[in-house]
Amino acid sequence: MSAIQIPILDLKPQYWTIKAEIQAAINKVLDSGQFVLGPTVQQFETDVAQYLGVKHAIGVNSGTDALMISLRALGIGSGDEVITTPFSFFATAESISCVGAKPVFVDIQRSSFNIDPALIEAAITPQTKAIMPVHLYGNPAAIARIKAIAIKHKLKIIEDCAQAFGAIYHGTCTDCKQNCDDAIRTDLIGKKIGALGDMGAFSFFPTKNLGAYGDGGLVTTDDDDLAALARMLRVHGEKKRYHNEMLGYNSRLDAIQAAVLGVKLRHVAQWNQKRRAVAQIYNELLSEVDQVVTPEIVDGHVFHQYTIRILGGKRDTVKQSMADAGVGAMIYYPIPQDKLPIYAGQYPDNAVSNKLSQEVLSLPIWPELAVETQQTVVRCP
Ligand SMILES: *Cc1c(COP(=O)(O)O)cnc(C)c1O
C-alpha cells in the first residue's frame, strides 16, 4: 500500500491564496486584545446576515451548538418530537436528543440523499413540534414541500445548514415542482439556505464550505424574539451580565475565528462555483462507468461533498483499491443515525437510507482541485 497522495480534502491550497488577508485580520484581533464576541464577531454577524439574506445571525461555538440553541429557542424539549433524516452526521439527531426531545426519522430520496417530503406527514403525531431537514452534501432539501407541511400542521422548521453554506434554493426538485403550492415555492426560490425556515444552524468546522481555523457555528433567523433568545442561550441564559434568566450554554464565537470567517466570506461564492465545476467534471469523467451513479447537479447545490453511488455491492472493494492507489475516499455515512448504537432497536427500518449507506462513496473535492488530479482519482478503481 502506497502513502496517500490525493487526500479527500486539502485545505492548504486555499490558505495560500488568502494567507496575507488572513494574517492581517488575525493580527488585528491580537492587537485589539478582545478575543471572545466583541466588535469583530459583531461585524462578521452583520456581514454574514446580509450575505445569507436573514435579519439575524448569531455566532456560536459550533454547528452542534447552533442546532441545540435553535431547538431551545423554539422551546423544544422533553416530550416533544422532531422529524429529521436518518442520513446525516450524528450531530443532527444528537442535538434533538440532547435537549430532551425525540428524533423521529423519515426516510430519504434516492436522487437527493435528503429527507423525502412525501413521507413526512405519516410521521407527524400530536407531539411533533418541528422538522429538521439537512441540506446534505450541499444540496438544498425539498424545502417548499416541507414548508407547506409545516404550515398545515403548525410545525417549525430548523434547517441543518452545516454542509451547505451559500447554497441557494431553486425549487427544481421534482417533488417541489409537482407537489407544492406555487405561492410557497415562488416565495422561496432564489433564497439562500438558512433563510428558508424558522431557524438555520451552520457549522464553521474547518472542513465545511465556509470553514474557520477552529470550531465555530451560526444561528440564523428573521424573528426578533428567537434571535434574542439565541443570544441569551449562547451566554448562560443572560441578557444582562450576571442576571441569568434561564439555563444556557457557554457557546460564544471567538474573535479570531470571526476574523478568519470575515475574510473567507468574501471568497466563498467563488469557491462554491469552483466546487460545482469540479462536480461537473467528475460527472463527465464518470458518465461511462458501469454501476456508478453520479449525483444530480441541481441549481444552487454547493457540493460540500461529491458523492457517488456504487452499485452491485462493490463499494467497499472500490474504496479499498482507491486507498491502495493512494487516493482518499470516504463514506458519509456508513451507519444511518437511527441504526447507531445509541438508538439500537428503537426505530423501524428506513429502506432507502439503509441501502444508500452501503452504496455511497465521497471522492476528493475542494475548490482548487485540478482536473489532472480528478483524472487520477477516477482512473483508480
Ligand atoms: C458538521 C455537521 C454538524 C455539526 O457541526 P459542528 O460544527 O462539527 O458541531 C451538524 N450537522 C451536519 C450535517 C454536519 O455535517
Side-chain angles (χ1 to χ4, degrees), residues 254-292:
D254 73 73
I256 288 183
Q257 300 312 331
V260 167
L261 291 164
V263 169
K264 288 187 160 201
L265 185 64
R266 302 200 282 267
H267 302 273
V268 72
Q270 183 208 346
W271 291 332
N272 281 340
Q273 241 0 86
K274 288 186 173 175
R275 286 174 176 275
R276 287 177 57 83
V278 168
Q280 185 67 53
I281 290 165
Y282 268 137
N283 270 17
E284 285 158 20
L285 292 171
L286 290 167
S287 63
E288 305 287 295
V289 182
D290 220 26
Q291 295 200 297
V292 166

Side-chain angles (χ1 to χ4, degrees), residues 278 366-375:
V278 168
W366 58 89
E368 302 79 11
L369 183 62
V371 177
E372 301 74 49
T373 314
Q374 292 190 259
Q375 284 163 342

Side-chain angles (χ1 to χ4, degrees), residues 208-367:
K208 312 284 178 170
N209 285 29
L210 181 66
Y213 293 146
D215 274 306
L218 190 80
V219 172
T220 56
T221 184
D222 282 333
D223 185 297
D224 297 346
D225 296 332
L226 293 174
L229 279 167
R231 287 186 188 283
M232 283 175 73
L233 285 162
R234 77 172 165 183
V235 279
H236 305 285
E238 65 182 31
K239 243 188 296 221
K240 193 168 158 217
R241 199 95 192 257
Y242 307 128
H243 288 66
N244 310 74
E245 297 170 42
M246 63 201 292
L247 293 179
Y249 307 90
N250 172 3
S251 186
R252 302 165 296 216
L253 184 63
D254 73 73
I256 288 183
Q257 300 312 331
V260 167
L261 291 164
V263 169
K264 288 187 160 201
L265 185 64
R266 302 200 282 267
H267 302 273
V268 72
Q270 183 208 346
W271 291 332
N272 281 340
Q273 241 0 86
K274 288 186 173 175
R275 286 174 176 275
R276 287 177 57 83
V278 168
Q280 185 67 53
I281 290 165
Y282 268 137
N283 270 17
E284 285 158 20
L285 292 171
L286 290 167
S287 63
E288 305 287 295
V289 182
D290 220 26
Q291 295 200 297
V292 166
V293 182
T294 55
E296 291 178 332
I297 304 191
V298 298
D299 292 341
H301 191 326
V302 292
F303 285 93
H304 172 61
Q305 298 297 341
Y306 178 83
T307 304
I308 57 173
R309 289 166 55 206
I310 299 177
L311 310 181
K314 289 201 230 132
R315 192 265 318 268
D316 293 343
T317 324
V318 171
K319 182 173 188 285
Q320 188 54 55
S321 54
M322 290 180 79
D324 292 345
V327 175
M330 293 285 275
I331 298 164
Y332 303 116
Y333 292 92
I335 307 172
Q337 298 191 92
D338 56 316
K339 297 292 169 199
L340 290 169
I342 181 169
Y343 300 129
Q346 293 181 29
Y347 291 100
D349 276 332
N350 290 297
V352 180
S353 158
N354 288 351
K355 178 101 176 101
L356 294 194
S357 69
Q358 305 294 312
E359 294 177 347
V360 289
L361 191 66
S362 299
L363 304 186
I365 188 165
W366 58 89

Side-chain angles (χ1 to χ4, degrees), residues 42-99:
Q42 275 170 23
Q43 186 61 53
F44 172 66
E45 288 178 339
T46 305
D47 295 344
V48 76
Q50 196 196 349
Y51 183 85
L52 294 170
V54 293
K55 194 163 171 200
H56 304 281
I58 300 111
V60 298
N61 229 322
S62 70
T64 308
D65 280 9
L67 288 167
M68 285 205 292
I69 288 172
S70 298
L71 287 158
R72 288 281 313 281
L74 287 165
I76 293 166
S78 177
D80 298 331
E81 293 179 1
V82 178
I83 291 173
T84 191
T85 167
F87 205 63
S88 181
F89 176 57
F90 177 52
T92 308
E94 186 186 28
S95 69
I96 300 167
S97 291
C98 274
V99 302

